[in-house]
Amino acid sequence: MDHGPREPDLIIFDCDGVLVDSELLSCRCLSEVLAEFGLVLSEEQALELFLGRSTKAIEQHYRDLDQVVPDGFLPRLKTRVLETFATSLAPIPGVEAAISGLTVPFCVASSSDLDRVSLSLDVTGLRAYFGDRIYTAQMVRHGKPAPDLFLHAAENMRTPPSRTLVIEDSVSGVQAGKAAGMTVWGFVGGVHYRGRDGRAILSAAGADRVFAHMSDLWEV
């Protein structure tokens, strides 16, 4: 299989599930807050439906079911997630060593809002590596799986899509990267892939390569 350019000019990292081990925490918060508003969704269902997607996708999901997410839901969810991250969030094992050894430019492009990404990087000690090179779904019209966010990040980093490598853990993120004309490596080292065949899931979504250990980034 073609893994893409051996030496990309830019690496774009997703945040949740790639830099920080947050996906199970996020899905647990979503399930609990929905329950507070009378909507039943298990952690497993949250993973299947919303992994790698923005809160707009949550609202659209319930609109499609002719259900309205109640007023106050999104602020409550944001508060719960930020509180949980502040006390429980950890970096992906080996990620700091991996990114500190990179010799090519890199940035973050996340479906989460800027406050959440900033907190995630601050809590896990990764913020200094990224500075202001943080791009979120708030900055574009269409979130993942549309290519808009990755194209926005690459444009701001002054790199053509064909020379860009995306690191993603979700189907929607892989699809977004491929739609942007970029090489995409799927990452399955987060705890949310325990007991799930992440390699098959992300390969089927179009990932050019799938890996489970951040030390493998040294192959770039």
Side-chain angles (χ1 to χ4, degrees), residues 7 16 20 36 65 75 138 145 150 170 195 212 220:
E7 295 183 2
D16 295 296
V20 300
E36 293 177 10
L65 296 176
Q138 294 168 303
F150 289 137
S170 70
V220 172

Side-chain angles (χ1 to χ4, degrees), residues 154-207:
E155 181 179 6
N156 278 269
M157 296 293 291
R158 300 180 180 180
T159 306
S162 62
R163 298 296 307 163
T164 300
L165 171 64
V166 171
I167 311 296
E168 263 288 354
D169 72 308
S170 70
V171 168
S172 61
V174 170
Q175 292 171 337
K178 297 305 294 183
M182 300 172 179
T183 298
V184 182
W185 289 1
F187 179 70
V188 293
V191 296
H192 57 293
Y193 275 116
R194 291 178 183 171
R196 304 170 71 218
D197 190 352
R199 291 183 181 276
I201 292 170
L202 298 186
S203 294

Side-chain angles (χ1 to χ4, degrees), residues 12-16 54 56 107-118 121 132-144 148-150 152-153 156:
I12 301 179
F13 291 91
D14 179 34
C15 184
D16 295 296
S54 68
K56 290 181 181 178
C107 65
V108 178
S110 172
S111 292
S112 298
D113 63 37
L114 187 58
D115 288 347
R116 174 168 157 174
V117 177
S118 296
L121 297 178
D132 61 356
R133 303 187 311 278
I134 299 173
Y135 306 99
T136 74
Q138 294 168 303
M139 301 175 182
V140 295
R141 183 169 184 177
H142 301 291
K144 305 172 189 177
D148 303 32
L149 178 56
F150 289 137
H152 175 73
N156 278 269

Side-chain angles (χ1 to χ4, degrees), residues 2-95:
D2 181 10
H3 291 169
R6 297 305 302 166
E7 295 183 2
D9 294 336
L10 171 68
I11 301 176
I12 301 179
F13 291 91
D14 179 34
C15 184
D16 295 296
V18 172
L19 298 175
V20 300
D21 213 350
S22 57
E23 296 291 16
L24 281 185
L25 294 177
S26 300
C27 289
R28 185 172 303 136
C29 291
L30 176 57
S31 178
E32 291 172 351
V33 173
L34 283 171
E36 293 177 10
F37 287 89
L39 297 172
V40 178
L41 187 77
S42 69
E43 292 178 30
E44 293 76 14
Q45 289 172 319
L47 272 174
E48 292 297 327
L49 290 170
F50 304 121
L51 181 65
R53 307 194 68 186
S54 68
T55 53
K56 290 181 181 178
I58 300 172
E59 293 181 303
Q60 185 61 53
H61 172 76
Y62 284 102
R63 276 198 295 269
D64 291 344
L65 296 176
D66 291 326
Q67 294 178 281
V68 178
V69 175
D71 290 340
F73 165 75
L74 291 180
R76 175 66 180 135
L77 177 62
K78 181 176 180 178
T79 298
R80 175 68 68 86
V81 168
L82 294 180
E83 290 174 348
T84 300
F85 280 16
T87 59
S88 304
L89 188 62
I92 289 290
V95 71

